[in-house]
Amino acid sequence: MFRLTLIALAACAFLAIWKDVSLVYSSFLSSFATFCGLMAIGQFYRKVRPAERIAAVVTAVAFLMITGHVFSVLTYLHLPYLVQGGDQFFERVDHYLGFDRSVFVVAVSDFPATCEILRLVYLSSAWQIAAAILALGLARRYDDIGALA
């Protein structure tokens, strides 16, 4: 899996250069730091405190997080937009359902605390998934991990 992730990362770099797409690499620093931290914890439990079960679960979650990010960037860079105007289509569907995104964005912008809460929820979603998988894996509730999907 590590080799596949490295190949995908190399493909991301190649496609970003070839398609002349700029990426904000600093946005991936938190996920890379999380990956490194979880790998360090996993290796600690593997080498220093021999607990293979904990090491395996923590290492698997680390690879899940980094692989998900790398492949999402690869998908973004590689796949063309098949339907032009997709955003307009979804805006029309939202309008028919009675939801106006521009009104919602303006309304939420009047409440800075709400914007901050939404930002924190969005940024912590990967951490929340990792924590849930770790907790279920360490509790040996492997069947419940599939329920997260």
Side-chain angles (χ1 to χ4, degrees):
M1 177 174 266
F2 185 68
R3 289 183 190 146
L4 182 62
T5 303
L6 287 178
I7 291 169
L9 192 58
C12 287
F14 172 76
L15 286 171
I17 294 168
W18 183 49
K19 290 188 170 191
D20 195 28
V21 175
S22 63
L23 296 173
V24 181
Y25 294 103
S26 62
S27 64
F28 298 105
L29 288 179
S30 68
S31 61
F32 184 72
T34 303
F35 167 74
C36 291
L38 288 173
M39 285 300 290
I41 291 169
Q43 292 308 306
F44 172 79
Y45 275 105
R46 185 169 174 246
K47 301 283 184 185
V48 178
R49 290 188 59 192
E52 272 307 308
R53 184 173 60 91
I54 296 173
V57 170
V58 173
T59 303
V61 170
F63 276 118
L64 173 72
M65 289 185 73
I66 197 70
T67 303
H69 282 80
V70 168
F71 277 99
S72 67
V73 172
L74 182 62
T75 302
Y76 167 75
L77 290 171
H78 180 64
L79 295 178
Y81 292 115
L82 298 177
V83 179
Q84 295 297 328
D87 290 338
Q88 291 84 12
F89 169 76
F90 289 118
E91 286 177 8
R92 282 197 308 269
V93 170
D94 287 344
H95 177 72
Y96 292 135
L97 295 175
F99 179 76
D100 189 359
R101 182 180 196 295
S102 59
V103 172
F104 175 76
V105 170
V106 169
V108 169
S109 68
D110 291 336
F111 301 98
T114 305
C115 294
E116 184 64 20
I117 290 169
L118 290 173
R119 185 182 74 79
L120 290 174
V121 167
Y122 175 75
L123 290 176
S124 67
S125 61
W127 292 74
Q128 293 171 27
I129 292 170
I133 292 172
L134 279 170
L136 292 172
L138 294 175
R140 295 184 180 191
R141 295 175 52 188
Y142 306 116
D143 294 335
D144 293 336
I145 293 175
L148 292 174

